[in-house]
C-alpha cells in the first residue's frame, strides 16, 4: 500500500508539473471532476487508467515509477551552478567526485590515485560541505546526489565537457570489444523527436539500474564506462556550399 501511495503522489506531482488539473484528467478519461477526485482519494486507479493519464502528459508509467523512486531516495538530480563551478574549478576535486559517484571507497582511491590520504579526505569534506555526499564515520560515503545528475544548459560542467573532454572521448576508433559508435540520420517530425528523446531517457535509466546492480560486484570486475547520447537538429557544414540560401531542410 505504501508504494501505491507514493505512486499516486508522484502522479499528482507530474500533473502539477505539466499544468494539468482534475478537470483535465476527467475530460481525458470521460469522467466528472468529482469521480476523478474520488479516484485519487481512494487510490483506486486501474493500470489502464493510470496509463491513460500518463499518455495525457506524454509520459509513460515507467517515467512515473522513476520519479517515485527518486523522490523516495531523496537523491539530488541536478546540482546548483555554484556546486558545478566549484567542481570544475578544481580538477583534483572533480576527479574525487567522479570516483565517489562511481562508489569508490577511500581505500580504492588511495590505491589507484596519486593523491595523499589527507588531501583525499579534505576533498571528501568539501563534497560534504557542498551537500553532494554525507561523510560518515571512518570516512565512508553516502551519496546525496544521483550518480548521473543532469547538467544545466550551458553550465560549467557542460562547458568543461565540451571544451576539455569531448575531443579526448571521441579520439578512438570505437572498434574494441567494449566500444560502440552508432551514427544515424533521418528526418523526424517534432512529435517523433519527442518520442525518441523519451526512449533515450529510458536507456539512461536502464544504465543507472545496471550501475546500481553492479555496485555490489568486486571492484576489479568493474570498469569506468561512459556513454554519450546526443540528438539535435543539425546540418553538416561541408554541405553548405551546395545549398540554396532559402532552403531550410536539415539533412
Amino acid at each position: 500500500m505504501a508504494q501505491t501511495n507514493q505512486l499516486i503522489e508522484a502522479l499528482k506531482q507530474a500533473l502539477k508539473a505539466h499544468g494539468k488539473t482534475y478537470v483535465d484528467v476527467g475530460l481525458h478519461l470521460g469522467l466528472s471532476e468529482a469521480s476523478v477526485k474520488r479516484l485519487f482519494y481512494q487510490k483506486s486507479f486501474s493500470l489502464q487508467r493510470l496509463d491513460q493519464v500518463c499518455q495525457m502528459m506524454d509520459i509513460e508509467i515507467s517515467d512515473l515509477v522513476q520519479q517515485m523512486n527518486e523522490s523516495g531516495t531523496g537523491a539530488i538530480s541536478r546540482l546548483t551552478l555554484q556546486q558545478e563551478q566549484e567542481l570544475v574549478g578544481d580538477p583534483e576535486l572533480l576527479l574525487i567526485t567522479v570516483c565517489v559517484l562511481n562508489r569508490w571507497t577511500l581505500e580504492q582511491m588511495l590505491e589507484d590515485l596519486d593523491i595523499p590520504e589527507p588531501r583525499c579526505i579534505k576533498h571528501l569534506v568539501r563534497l560534504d560541505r557542498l551537500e553532494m555526499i554525507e561523510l560518515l564515520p571512518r570516512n565512508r560515503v553516502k551519496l546525496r546526489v544521483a550518480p548521473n545528475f543532469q547538467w544545466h544548459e550551458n553550465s560549467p560542467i557542460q562547458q568543461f565537457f565540451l571544451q576539455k573532454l569531448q575531443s579526448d572521448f571521441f579520439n578512438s576508433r570505437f572498434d574494441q570489444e567494449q566500444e560502440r559508435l552508432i551514427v544515424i540520420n533521418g528526418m523526424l517530425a517534432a512529435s517523433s523527436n519527442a518520442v525518441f528523446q523519451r526512449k533515450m531517457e529510458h536507456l539512461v535509466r536502464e544504465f543507472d539500474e545496471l550501475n546500481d546492480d553492479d555496485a555490489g560486484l568486486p571492484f576489479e570486475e568493474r570498469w569506468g564506462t561512459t556513454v554519450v547520447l546526443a540528438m539535435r537538429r543539425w546540418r553538416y557544414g561541408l554541405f553548405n556550399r551546395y545549398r540554396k540560401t532559402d532552403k531550410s531542410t536539415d539533412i
Side-chain angles (χ1 to χ4, degrees), residues 60-84:
E60 298 184 16
I61 294 178
S62 57
D63 298 315
L64 206 59
V65 173
Q66 177 69 15
Q67 179 181 325
M68 179 189 75
N69 290 336
E70 289 178 352
S71 298
T73 59
I76 300 171
S77 60
R78 188 186 296 268
L79 302 184
T80 67
L81 291 176
Q82 180 181 355
Q83 288 170 320
E84 287 198 24

Side-chain angles (χ1 to χ4, degrees), residues 22-23 25-26 31-42:
Y22 287 158
V23 173
V25 175
L31 300 173
S32 67
E33 181 180 4
S35 296
V36 172
K37 288 182 178 179
R38 192 178 307 113
L39 284 175
F40 277 93
Y41 177 76
Q42 297 177 348

